[in-house]
Amino acid sequence: MNPVLCVGCTVIDFVTINDNFPEEDTDRRCLDGFWQRGGNASNVSTVLRLLGSDVDFFGMLSHAGAFRVLLDDLHRRGIDVQHCPHTEMDPPFSSVIIVKATGSRTIVHCNKNYPYVTWQDFSKIDLKRYGWIHFEARKASETIKMMRAVQEHNRMNEERIIISLDFESLFEANLPLCGLCDYVVFSKELANQQGWQTAQETCTELAHRVKPNCPSIICPWGNTGAVCLDATTQNLHNGPAYEPKQIVDTLGAGDSFMAGFIYATYALRQSLPDAVDLANRVAGHKISQFGYDHIAQLQKDNKPGNI
Ligand SMILES: *[C@@H]1O[C@H](CO)[C@@H](O)[C@H](O)[C@H]1NC(C)=O
Ligand SMILES: CC(=O)N[C@H]1CO[C@H](CO)[C@@H](O)[C@@H]1O
């Protein structure tokens, strides 16, 4: 099976776990802390690997010393970065403050105009290698050109590449990307910004905006599960959430949902409702522990497709 290509960002997260939220202008110690690789497409790559897919990541890498942590982690997990361009600039990072008692997470991003991968970089990739390309909704002007290149590839070749989009920000700018995709995962936060009250309403309203080339739309809605709208049948389906006994770490739950969905649809060839169900299971399992490694266990303990 051809690998999945994930296009987007990889950043460093500096995470501290605290007993309560720090007061301004104080000096204090945390309970625990770690540096880790973050960024949406980067996290989707991690979870796809843990589920057993072959994955290439495509995003801007940095020659800066601090970036080694990210490269080592990508390498250790067997995520291929051979097509990535490099910059001398320092990588973007986020400071994350987790409060143990409440589980709240406060995130401050520092991006400093770090360059994003361009269509020109993308055009050097031999797309024949891939069966699925997943995009983070960023830098719409470049992303739209990359998606058109994939569509052009699909017109010229028998083996079609499936396109998915993680749509979580900048509604107006990223909306034109939807019509070029097979699957769009649309976030609850962005739906709320649009004034859409439910996941059903979000699927229907988004489909209305994207007509006539409407993709299948998936809308995860926190602990009520996720709703999907099938592009071919126009059927709406509601998949329940799987809440673990204890919620430990919700960072990256959305990215785990995304990876679960891609894995179920592509590797297991599941129907849209089944793939959404598996995505809900992966996300529910993810939040039961810190990090992602326990997701591999989920796969090992169960027959594929039976997670
Ligand atoms: C990506 O995963 C890391 C590790 O769990 C997490 O700290 C980070 O918040 C996630 N980033 C995003 C954008 O989801
Ligand atoms: C571009 C994009 O989709 N960014 C999202 C990455 O994930 C975080 C957390 O889920 C969102 O807040 C971002 O909008």
Side-chain angles (χ1 to χ4, degrees), residues 94-276:
S94 303
S95 306
V96 183
I97 297 175
I98 296 180
V99 177
K100 198 173 178 196
T102 62
S104 80
R105 54 194 184 77
T106 307
I107 309 177
V108 183
H109 299 289
C110 179
N111 191 303
K112 297 187 292 186
N113 291 323
Y114 189 74
Y116 195 67
V117 278
T118 64
W119 167 75
Q120 245 163 352
D121 301 321
F122 185 82
S123 65
K124 293 175 197 144
I125 302 175
D126 177 13
L127 296 179
K128 281 205 184 72
R129 255 177 78 67
Y130 302 105
W132 188 300
I133 302 186
H134 172 67
F135 292 91
E136 205 174 302
R138 260 182 219 278
K139 201 68 183 287
S141 55
E142 294 299 318
T143 305
I144 204 157
K145 286 192 264 180
M146 298 183 207
M147 286 180 168
R148 289 209 177 107
V150 181
Q151 288 207 324
E152 190 52 33
H153 169 95
N154 284 347
R155 264 190 290 277
M156 313 291 287
N157 291 271
E158 255 174 52
E159 301 257 334
R160 249 192 114 251
I161 299 171
I162 302 170
I163 306 178
S164 60
L165 176 71
D166 180 11
F167 193 172
E168 301 196 45
S169 60
L170 302 175
F171 182 77
E172 293 300 333
N174 288 320
L175 189 61
L177 302 176
C178 294
L180 298 166
C181 302
D182 298 285
Y183 299 100
V184 172
V185 174
F186 194 84
S187 80
K188 182 182 175 185
E189 288 73 28
L190 200 53
N192 289 338
Q193 284 173 29
Q194 294 306 114
W196 299 335
Q197 311 278 322
T198 63
Q200 283 83 351
E201 181 185 0
T202 302
C203 288
T204 316
E205 287 294 327
L206 183 63
H208 190 67
R209 306 286 144 107
V210 182
K211 271 192 316 206
N213 294 320
C214 192
S216 288
I217 298 168
I218 300 101
C219 185
W221 208 262
N223 60 9
T224 65
V227 169
C228 56
L229 174 68
D230 191 310
T232 37
T233 62
Q234 295 298 310
N235 285 340
L236 277 170
H237 171 86
N238 192 355
Y242 291 82
E243 274 199 70
K245 281 190 211 83
Q246 210 191 345
I247 299 177
V248 175
D249 171 26
T250 58
L251 286 174
D255 299 327
S256 303
F257 179 94
M258 191 74 237
F261 177 77
I262 295 173
Y263 178 77
T265 309
Y266 182 48
L268 305 179
R269 304 190 179 280
Q270 290 186 344
S271 68
L272 184 65
D274 287 349
V276 167

Side-chain angles (χ1 to χ4, degrees), residues 66-96:
F67 204 81
R68 270 262 48 107
V69 189
L70 304 190
L71 286 177
D72 288 348
D73 190 59
L74 286 161
H75 187 72
R76 177 173 72 83
R77 292 189 179 277
I79 298 168
D80 198 312
V81 293
Q82 60 171 325
H83 300 299
C84 297
H86 288 76
T87 171
E88 299 301 323
M89 280 181 73
D90 288 335
F93 63 92
S94 303
S95 306
V96 183

